[in-house]
Amino acid sequence: MLKKVLSEQFIIYGDVSMPKGFEINSLELIKSIFESLYHEKDNSFCKDWSKLDSYAREFSKIKYDICLETINTWGNIYIPNEKTGSLINVDYMNLKNSPDFTLLYGINTKDCFVKIHYDDNRCKGRSFDIELKHNMFIIFPSTNIYSIDNNQKDSLNFIQTITYELK
Amino acid sequence: MAHFAKISEENIVLSVMVVDNKDTLNADGVEDESVGQQYLETHCNWPAHLWIKTSWSTFENTHINGGTPFRGNYAGVGNTWDSDNQIFWKTKPYPSWVKNNTTATWNSPIGDAPALTAEEIAAQKHYAWNEANQSWDLTNINT
């Protein structure tokens, strides 16, 4: 009797653990998000974004042998009590140019929850809830619909999104 | 060109970066690893002491062009940096295998596999390590 796994869904999450003195500077990332929104550009590249991107790609490779290539990035600001609708980062009309994975990174986030929807064979409409804390990242398949709940009442939450193609 | 391995705080190689030789020269015009490390810290946002120079022409502690080997092996992603022995180690193939600092390779605890006889070669046999039995087993190449 043999078993063959045809498909697998997984998420990777954790803190971005940078060497002391080289931590990601939240203020620089927030500034970069504001700049990109002001200039109406998706991309918000800066030195601290580069630290995050390198960390995600390099540690995914050495820990799980997942080789990622960066596709796109943008930052979002969530006001108190804001709840997004359903989000998805693949274009089903253009799957060839869609990303394989989505990374969400919490910047000064507080009471911020991500709900990732998935199907488990005939059990449809399941979801996995995870709190996106400050300096924490979540990587999940871009084909999964997700939503973000900003439950705190008094400050903004910032989330940097990066999409990746599997190499 | 100089090659530097970017390592994690757990000494795992994360990537290898190529640096122009001129960016590794000290004030006297001599190649200095610490200059290259500082250059990489400035431009790649990773601490200087976690950049380790490596030689692309060193393999199993031998220089492929007959020169002086440098740090055992050319660093590859996922390799481990051993600062005590100044060697980049490939991934350990089996839990029981031990380091050979002279050749910068992993060896079985009972040594190398026996040499194949002419008959065994003709029959497409080879020795495969059996971790459970701690022995070299003669098997067919295709199995």
Side-chain angles (χ1 to χ4, degrees):
Chain A
M1 185 183 286
L2 301 170
K3 180 188 174 190
K4 170 86 176 159
V5 177
L6 299 177
S7 172
E8 183 189 39
Q9 285 187 60
F10 60 85
I11 68 166
I12 300 172
Y13 61 96
D15 290 335
V16 176
S17 177
M18 295 289 286
K20 195 169 164 48
F22 288 80
E23 296 88 352
I24 292 172
N25 185 332
S26 307
L27 290 179
E28 287 299 318
L29 272 183
I30 290 170
K31 196 170 88 180
S32 163
I33 290 172
F34 274 120
E35 275 176 10
S36 66
L37 292 175
Y38 180 77
H39 294 294
E40 296 183 346
K41 287 193 306 183
D42 256 3
N43 301 337
S44 46
F45 293 106
C46 68
K47 189 172 161 181
D48 291 274
W49 177 88
S50 177
K51 288 181 186 177
L52 169 64
D53 178 56
S54 298
Y55 183 92
R57 285 186 293 101
E58 290 169 351
F59 282 85
S60 296
K61 173 66 183 163
I62 63 161
K63 283 188 180 287
Y64 304 108
D65 201 23
I66 298 166
C67 194
L68 301 174
E69 184 179 288
T70 311
I71 300 293
N72 200 1
T73 187
W74 61 91
N76 289 103
I77 303 167
Y78 297 97
I79 60 172
N81 290 319
E82 180 173 353
K83 296 180 193 317
T84 70
S86 297
L87 305 169
I88 191 163
N89 293 325
V90 294
D91 177 356
Y92 277 105
M93 302 307 287
N94 186 11
L95 285 172
K96 190 181 173 193
N97 294 314
S98 291
D100 290 301
F101 289 97
T102 295
L103 174 146
L104 303 179
Y105 175 71
I107 310 161
N108 289 359
T109 43
K110 205 167 69 176
D111 289 334
C112 181
F113 292 84
V114 178
K115 186 185 282 287
I116 300 168
H117 298 267
Y118 66 98
D119 291 336
D120 182 9
N121 295 314
R122 72 184 179 87
C123 302
K124 305 293 182 190
R126 292 196 161 190
S127 64
F128 176 74
D129 294 291
I130 185 168
E131 184 175 3
L132 185 63
K133 296 179 179 170
H134 169 64
N135 194 42
M136 181 181 161
F137 73 94
I138 307 169
I139 297 175
F140 56 93
S142 294
T143 46
N144 289 84
I145 292 170
Y146 66 103
S147 58
I148 296 166
D149 285 2
N150 182 17
N151 290 335
Q152 49 80 33
K153 298 183 178 72
D154 50 17
S155 62
L156 299 173
N157 275 338
F158 298 86
I159 294 179
Q160 184 74 40
T161 304
I162 309 177
T163 56
Y164 292 101
E165 186 176 336
L166 189 63
K167 285 296 175 190
Chain B
M1 290 295 181
H3 296 75
F4 284 78
K6 177 183 181 180
I7 62 166
S8 68
E9 291 179 304
E10 294 78 32
N11 294 316
I12 306 298
V13 176
L14 300 170
S15 63
V16 178
M17 192 69 79
V18 184
V19 178
D20 196 318
N21 285 339
K22 70 178 172 51
D23 296 317
T24 68
L25 302 179
N26 63 19
D28 299 324
V30 178
E31 277 190 31
D32 185 336
E33 183 174 9
S34 65
V35 176
Q37 288 173 320
Q38 197 54 55
Y39 176 87
L40 285 163
E41 176 177 307
T42 305
H43 293 89
C44 296
N45 310 314
W46 198 252
H49 71 280
L50 296 178
W51 290 100
I52 310 294
K53 195 173 182 186
T54 183
S55 161
W56 69 271
S57 48
T58 296
F59 176 69
E60 296 186 349
N61 216 18
T62 303
H63 194 282
I64 58 172
N65 297 324
T68 306
F70 185 63
R71 293 177 170 164
N73 293 291
Y74 178 55
V77 173
N79 291 173
T80 304
W81 168 241
D82 173 356
S83 59
D84 293 337
N85 295 307
Q86 294 286 300
I87 289 173
F88 284 102
W89 293 100
K90 303 291 179 196
T91 308
K92 192 176 186 175
Y94 298 98
S96 67
W97 283 34
V98 293
K99 288 177 178 174
N100 181 333
N101 289 338
T102 308
T103 58
T105 57
W106 292 97
N107 290 168
S108 84
I110 60 169
D112 292 340
L116 291 167
T117 64
E119 291 78 21
E120 288 166 347
I121 292 170
Q124 294 197 319
K125 301 277 189 182
H126 79 122
Y127 281 99
W129 177 250
N130 185 326
E131 180 69 3
N133 296 337
Q134 296 284 294
S135 62
W136 289 104
D137 295 350
L138 192 62
T139 55
N140 287 319
I141 279 177
N142 295 327
T143 57

